[in-house]
Amino acid sequence: MALGTAVLFVACLAAVQCQRYDPLYKELMSREAKNTIPVDGKDDTLNVTINLTLLKITSLNLRTGDAVLDTWVNYEWEDSRLAWEPSDYMGITVMNLPHSNIWTPDIVPYRGHTVVTDVPAVVFHSGLVYYIPPTIIKTRCDVSHYTTDGTVTCSLKIGSWTYNGNILDVQNKGPEIDVSEYYHDDQWDITEHSMQRRVHHYECCPEPYPAITASVTLKAKRHGLLGWSLFH
């Protein structure tokens, strides 16, 4: 055990208010792991895996296509700066840390807006990080087929706002959106849902820019009754 860690444990034993996780928390917060992306070498690329869990269609305007989706967005990556040896910290293998105190990927919708709930990140002793914030997504859906077959398709393209694919790569965890937690209301059925990774190249820049497109197709259960009214 390092001298600094040993001192922390001695201090904890002498302090009534000290808790089991305090020494590890203090150690992790003392590391420089907040402001820079965790890549070790010049040619290394950080891989961020993304999954989207759709919970509810909160609102959908059938005239404009404006929609509000209630989701969880699941991010997974590795940061070696946050790794530790469990035997040095009373066998602790996982730690919850404020996401604002560690580096997190700048992955956002290219079109649309999000409202993200402030929740901790879950960090494992290997440096693996899970960050799963409840996220309200405001986007625009394709309602052009609603009058003919009662379907609406909502697509969301997400990727890093500032990093190219040589520095930060995004991968979808699977080929489909997670709909296991979806609230089945009396208005819409989900008929299709997918997540696809595509790499884009722009005239301005030689670097690749990967992004994930999440799409879900909804079918109205009562097409004739909904007409062109607003659904909230």
Side-chain angles (χ1 to χ4, degrees):
M1 182 184 298
L3 178 60
T5 303
V7 171
L8 282 174
F9 273 111
V10 171
C12 276
L13 291 174
V16 175
Q17 72 274 17
C18 184
Q19 300 296 314
R20 177 188 178 193
Y21 291 91
D22 288 356
L24 177 57
Y25 180 83
K26 292 176 182 178
E27 166 61 24
L28 294 177
M29 290 299 94
S30 71
R31 300 178 183 179
E32 296 294 331
K34 178 179 179 179
N35 297 318
T36 57
I37 186 170
V39 291
D40 295 327
K42 176 183 175 182
D43 298 321
D44 290 342
T45 301
L46 178 69
N47 292 310
V48 179
T49 302
I50 304 172
N51 194 28
L52 180 69
T53 301
L54 179 62
L55 304 176
K56 184 181 180 181
I57 311 297
T58 303
S59 67
L60 174 58
N61 186 319
L62 291 173
R63 294 187 185 274
T64 65
D66 292 329
V68 178
L69 313 179
D70 193 5
T71 73
W72 299 333
V73 184
N74 305 253
Y75 305 98
E76 178 182 334
W77 70 94
E78 291 190 5
D79 190 338
S80 60
R81 301 169 300 186
L82 297 175
W84 71 89
E85 178 53 57
S87 61
D88 290 342
Y89 295 94
M90 302 176 68
I92 296 172
T93 59
V94 62
M95 184 80 177
N96 293 353
L97 297 177
H99 83 277
S100 58
N101 285 12
I102 66 173
W103 181 90
T104 54
D106 62 338
I107 294 172
V108 295
Y110 287 171
R111 295 179 181 176
H113 305 278
T114 60
V115 179
V116 180
T117 300
D118 187 1
V119 296
V122 180
V123 182
F124 293 83
H125 68 94
S126 63
L128 178 65
V129 182
Y130 285 158
Y131 180 48
I132 312 175
T135 304
I136 296 172
I137 299 174
K138 299 179 181 181
T139 187
R140 180 162 291 181
C141 304
D142 180 4
V143 295
S144 61
H145 296 288
Y146 177 75
T147 55
T148 57
D149 61 12
T151 63
V152 173
T153 299
C154 302
S155 296
L156 186 73
K157 181 180 175 183
I158 56 177
S160 172
W161 193 248
T162 61
Y163 295 105
N164 65 64
N166 293 332
I167 302 173
L168 189 157
D169 195 6
V170 292
Q171 302 284 340
N172 47 306
K173 195 172 185 67
E176 297 181 326
I177 296 173
D178 180 7
V179 295
S180 62
E181 300 292 334
Y182 178 68
Y183 171 72
H184 293 275
D185 56 35
D186 60 355
Q187 302 287 345
W188 301 101
D189 282 326
I190 295 177
T191 59
E192 295 180 24
H193 54 97
S194 65
M195 294 190 68
Q196 295 183 332
R197 176 183 180 271
R198 293 186 175 93
V199 178
H200 302 267
H201 293 269
Y202 300 99
E203 292 183 2
C204 68
C205 317
E207 302 88 358
Y209 287 86
I212 304 297
T213 298
S215 297
V216 58
T217 298
L218 309 168
K219 186 174 179 63
K221 293 183 178 180
R222 296 177 295 163
H223 180 212
L225 297 178
L226 285 175
W228 279 98
S229 63
L230 296 181
F231 164 61
H232 295 284

